[in-house]
């Protein structure tokens, strides 16, 4: 007889990681089909993991800041998708509350370097770089997700 198993998503986010700097994990979010841009995935920068109950049902959720692909194809230099943080026209972060079932897995991003030096005192690379390469080679599963 088979036993039902569940997958536990462990994410870390907080305003004071080790009593110093904020911590914001990035996640791969399923929003479409394999035929869509980035195989139907986008990146989210998690700001908060929480749950609430409504009429006896518990809903595990995340508050995420969208990171959207630049272009319809992976970058020609690296073959990886390049993403940037999305903002509304008024400059506010483009954020959404989503069910944790929409999150496929953690995402590993690599900052895209330019011609200027990085500040010596930055604490969060997601605040320093403007664009990021999505590391599809972070592990086997991420490679499979983003290689369609």
């Amino acid at each position: 007889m088979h036993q039902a198993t569940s997958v536990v998503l462990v994410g870390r986010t907080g305003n004071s990681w080790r009593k110093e700097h904020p911590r914001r994990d990035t996640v791969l979010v399923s929003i479409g089909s394999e035929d869509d841009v980035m195989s139907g995935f986008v990146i989210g920068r998690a700001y908060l993991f929480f749950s609430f109950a409504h009429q006896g049902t518990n809903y595990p959720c995340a508050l995420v800041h969208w990171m959207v692909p630049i272009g319809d194809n992976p970058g020609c230099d690296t073959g990886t998708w390049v993403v940037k943080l999305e903002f509304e026209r008024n400059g506010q972060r483009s954020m959404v509350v989503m069910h944790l079932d929409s999150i496929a897995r953690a995402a590993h991003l690599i900052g895209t370097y330019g011609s200027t030096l990085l500040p010596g005192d930055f604490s969060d690379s997601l605040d320093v770089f403007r664009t990021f390469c999505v590391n599809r080679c972070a592990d086997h599963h991420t490679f499979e997700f983003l290689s369609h």
Side-chain angles (χ1 to χ4, degrees):
M1 177 177 232
H2 294 285
Q3 287 186 323
T5 59
S6 62
V7 176
V8 177
L9 175 70
V10 177
R12 291 172 290 206
T13 184
N15 290 328
S16 179
W17 175 251
R18 295 189 178 179
K19 298 183 178 161
E20 291 185 16
H21 307 289
R23 165 101 186 219
R24 309 281 185 233
D25 280 356
T26 51
V27 293
L28 191 63
V29 180
S30 177
I31 62 164
S33 72
E34 288 182 11
D35 297 330
D36 293 336
V37 172
M38 236 172 77
S39 300
F41 292 98
V42 293
I43 304 295
R45 181 182 183 187
Y47 274 76
L48 177 67
F49 292 103
F50 66 99
S51 65
F52 66 93
H54 178 68
Q55 295 182 348
T57 303
N58 189 47
Y59 296 94
C61 298
L63 173 66
V64 300
H65 182 182
W66 286 128
M67 299 181 84
V68 294
I70 298 173
D72 293 335
N73 296 300
C76 60
D77 292 340
T78 61
T80 62
W81 288 97
V82 179
V83 297
K84 65 178 181 175
L85 289 165
E86 184 177 54
F87 292 91
E88 304 293 338
R89 288 188 176 158
N90 63 5
Q92 295 287 329
R93 295 179 180 115
S94 179
M95 299 182 83
V96 65
V97 171
M98 69 175 56
H99 195 284
L100 289 188
D101 286 348
S102 300
I103 298 175
R105 61 183 309 99
H108 181 251
L109 305 180
I110 302 167
T112 304
Y113 292 84
S115 58
T116 59
L117 294 175
L118 294 174
D121 62 347
F122 74 93
S123 62
D124 193 339
S125 60
L126 294 174
D127 292 329
V128 173
F129 296 102
R130 293 182 187 212
T131 60
F132 305 86
C133 292
V134 179
N135 184 3
R136 68 180 181 148
C137 297
D139 60 40
H140 169 76
H141 299 289
T142 303
F143 184 83
E144 289 294 316
F145 277 134
L146 297 176
S147 295
H148 293 282

